[in-house]
Amino acid sequence: MLIYVVKPGDSLWTISNYYNVSTAQMISANGLQYPNSLLVGQSLIIPVEDTVHVVKTGESLWQIAQNYGISVQAIVDANRIINPQNIYPGLQLYIPATRYQIKQGETLEQIAERYGISLERLMNTNNIQDSSLIYPGAVIVIPRQRPSIYVNGYIYDFTENSSNVVREVGDYLTYLSPFAYRIREDGSLETIDDSALINAAYAENIVPMMAITNFTATELGHNLAHVVLSNESIRENLITNILDIMRNKGYLGVNIDFENVLPSDRENYNTFLELTVERLHRENFFVSTALAPKTGPGQQGLLYEAHDYEAHGRIVDFVVLMTYEWGYRLGPPQAISPLNRIKQVLDYAVTVIPREKILFGFQLYARDWIVPHLPGMEAETFSMQEAVARAVRYQVAIQFDPVSQTPFYNYIDEQGRQHQVWFEDARSAQAKFDTVKDYRLRGISYWALGFPFPQNWTLLQDNFDII
């Protein structure tokens, strides 16, 4: 798909007309709530199979053409390249979709098999309702090959609406993680009402993954973690209780999110993971962990020191990197998931954790800070759709920070207070998906479901085949 940034004077009709797509397709792909009120700087997904490729260091046109399954000449012609040898890092290349003319006697099933894609995807790409209603000479678009990834979604909404949320995004998930069972000092677990979510996961062919933790919104949990991790009998009791819940509820694996663990409990935590994996693997359950975003083995701080990247990468089946929350709700305004900072984490992570074990953390919420920020002031957290709606309400242009690859804007409210909003859009989401592909990671983990972001799901499905 293409991503278009709204310019002064643009309307949804003029953009749709230029790219030869309907306004209805544009509204659907972008989840537009205010199609008649586009903002300067707003990013829109153009639902076509064409795309844009940014040349990386060392790439050649031949490599790029091979990756997209088209000819070098098609790229040269589409971009009017005079010297194919003279391409450079950062150059944006328009990559046209592969088009195919149907021959006499051919079926869509045969064409889909030839190109290694599903019949359903071929039909959806070309808006074909009945595969038998095709004719020789018709030209169809062949969708691109996509890498396969695993996708996790944490959810902490246990209201009646939570099952609807799972159904809405079920096609995009491998795992669903209701958050969370909190450990107690004796190794037991506080219960949560997760039955409806587990049933919704099975109905959508999603793997339910139990999540356990040691903290709450008001308690760091470091002392609680110490009591449990440093005592052999309590550790064993906790593992037994995890297994009992998994068997009774139908969970197929566990995600261990112990945060603020004391540095002195680093080895105790590693030992607990080894014991957990040993016992759960015996019963064919998997084990994963959530890790704070470290940029090196010696990073200081309560969040980081006990999270041993090398040990987690060796012991557990996969890890979730919590690559978000730089823009903390109680801190000063900034990008929540700045891509430049995330890449620093990934550069370290892939040296000690197998790439096929790493899930990239992606936040699904926006934040609004009052500025200037004062200690103790808390930012408002809401959905990406609300971020755009608020920009429309105050009629402000959306800006884009090229370093963090994140959109933001400023506005003045009715009380005369200055605000700054940081969120995600099609540009920032695509940049993150490109990073997942560039680093060849296992997949993506979302924190947290329940914040509407239609552009994300449209682009996720366009970039990947979800296992």
Side-chain angles (χ1 to χ4, degrees):
M1 294 188 178
L2 299 173
I3 295 175
Y4 179 85
V5 180
V6 176
K7 301 177 180 62
D10 279 339
S11 70
L12 190 62
W13 183 86
T14 58
I15 298 169
S16 301
N17 190 55
Y18 181 83
Y19 287 100
N20 196 30
V21 297
S22 69
T23 54
Q25 287 175 295
M26 291 285 291
I27 291 170
S28 175
N30 293 278
L32 291 177
Q33 295 178 298
Y34 304 96
N36 296 321
S37 300
L38 299 183
L39 299 163
V40 172
Q42 182 177 358
S43 66
L44 298 175
I45 296 169
I46 309 298
V48 294
E49 197 63 25
D50 306 324
T51 190
V52 171
H53 177 85
V54 180
V55 178
K56 302 177 183 66
T57 302
E59 278 190 320
S60 67
L61 274 185
W62 182 84
Q63 291 171 313
I64 296 167
Q66 287 288 304
N67 289 338
Y68 287 98
I70 62 174
S71 68
V72 170
Q73 194 60 47
I75 299 177
V76 169
D77 292 344
N79 293 274
R80 299 179 182 177
I81 297 174
I82 298 173
N83 182 3
Q85 305 300 320
N86 189 24
I87 63 169
Y88 50 88
L91 176 66
Q92 291 191 342
L93 295 175
Y94 170 72
I95 309 295
T98 300
R99 287 166 171 81
Y100 180 82
Q101 188 173 50
I102 299 173
K103 300 179 178 62
Q104 184 70 40
E106 278 188 318
T107 66
L108 281 183
E109 290 89 345
Q110 291 170 331
I111 298 169
E113 184 177 357
R114 181 181 305 134
Y115 283 95
I117 55 176
S118 69
L119 175 61
E120 179 185 22
R121 187 170 176 225
L122 182 61
M123 291 176 64
N124 289 341
T125 299
N126 292 278
N127 296 314
I128 297 172
Q129 306 300 319
D130 186 340
S131 62
S132 65
L133 298 179
I134 62 170
Y135 54 90
V139 176
I140 58 174
V141 173
I142 305 298
R144 302 186 310 277
Q145 294 278 2
R146 303 176 296 191
S148 296
I149 63 166
Y150 295 83
V151 179
N152 175 55
Y154 289 107
I155 184 167
Y156 56 78
D157 177 10
F158 294 94
T159 65
E160 292 181 4
N161 183 56
S162 61
S163 295
N164 293 330
V165 171
V166 176
R167 281 190 283 271
E168 288 170 5
V169 300
D171 288 344
Y172 313 108
L173 298 178
T174 312
Y175 312 105
L176 178 73
S177 301
F179 195 84
Y181 286 84
R182 187 171 186 249
I183 63 174
R184 294 192 180 106
E185 290 189 353
D186 61 355
S188 62
L189 292 150
E190 295 178 5
T191 59
I192 57 176
D193 186 12
D194 52 359
S195 296
L197 285 169
I198 294 170
N199 291 337
Y202 275 105
E204 296 296 325
N205 200 30
I206 303 167
V207 173
M209 179 164 63
M210 181 183 179
I212 69 169
T213 192
N214 64 314
F215 68 92
T216 67
T218 57
E219 296 180 32
L220 292 177
H222 52 293
N223 292 324
L224 173 59
H226 172 71
V227 169
V228 173
L229 295 175
S230 62
N231 186 291
E232 183 179 348
S233 62
I234 296 177
R235 284 194 312 240
E236 291 294 338
N237 189 41
L238 175 56
I239 298 170
T240 297
N241 286 316
I242 291 170
L243 277 166
D244 286 344
I245 291 172
M246 292 175 69
R247 295 189 200 103
N248 293 332
K249 291 291 188 73
Y251 281 112
L252 301 182
V254 66
N255 180 251
I256 301 168
D257 182 8
F258 287 176
E259 300 185 24
N260 310 304
V261 177
L262 295 171
S264 59
D265 282 320
R266 176 186 176 112
E267 291 307 318
N268 286 332
Y269 190 12
N270 292 344
T271 299
F272 170 72
L273 293 177
E274 289 172 337
L275 296 169
T276 303
V277 167
E278 180 185 356
R279 289 187 61 185
L280 266 64
H281 276 192
R282 278 190 231 149
E283 300 192 32
N284 295 318
F285 295 124
F286 64 83
V287 180
S288 65
T289 56
L291 290 172
K294 294 177 68 168
T295 57
Q299 189 164 341
Q300 302 295 302
L302 187 61
L303 272 175
Y304 312 103
E305 291 181 59
H307 280 192
D308 185 339
Y309 270 39
E310 187 278 329
H312 286 240
R314 170 175 46 83
I315 297 167
V316 303
D317 297 295
F318 61 89
V319 303
V320 172
L321 296 186
M322 296 183 287
T323 40
Y324 34 74
E325 285 296 297
W326 276 270
Y328 177 50
R329 60 187 172 83
L330 295 175
Q334 60 179 304
I336 301 167
S337 302
L339 194 55
N340 57 316
R341 304 290 294 275
I342 291 174
K343 287 182 177 180
Q344 292 173 358
V345 175
L346 292 175
D347 286 341
Y348 165 57
V350 298
T351 66
V352 289
I353 303 173
R355 296 170 189 265
E356 64 273 15
K357 285 189 174 187
I358 297 174
L359 291 185
F360 177 112
F362 192 137
Q363 112 276 351
L364 285 176
Y365 51 89
R367 286 213 167 113
D368 181 328
W369 285 265
I370 294 175
V371 291
H373 175 75
L374 300 175
M377 293 178 63
E378 181 172 346
E380 185 181 0
T381 301
F382 45 71
S383 70
M384 308 304 177
Q385 283 192 311
E386 172 58 26
V388 174
R390 199 163 292 195
V392 170
R393 188 180 317 143
Y394 291 98
Q395 284 299 292
V396 293
I398 292 172
Q399 302 175 66
F400 194 79
D401 174 35
V403 176
S404 68
Q405 293 284 291
T406 314
F408 70 99
Y409 60 85
N410 299 284
Y411 73 92
I412 299 174
D413 67 18
E414 290 78 2
Q415 287 76 47
R417 297 176 301 180
Q418 181 82 21
H419 290 248
Q420 188 167 97
V421 176
W422 289 84
F423 64 112
E424 302 284 335
D425 65 3
R427 286 169 294 182
S428 63
Q430 185 60 57
K432 287 177 169 61
F433 296 154
D434 288 340
T435 301
V436 170
K437 288 184 277 191
D438 290 344
Y439 282 82
R440 306 190 308 281
L441 305 180
R442 178 184 183 87
I444 295 167
S445 178
Y446 287 103
W447 179 270
L449 303 181
F451 293 98
F453 186 14
Q455 284 185 326
N456 165 76
W457 305 112
T458 299
L459 283 172
L460 181 71
Q461 192 173 47
D462 182 62
N463 278 271
F464 304 105
D465 281 325
I466 298 147
I467 297 168

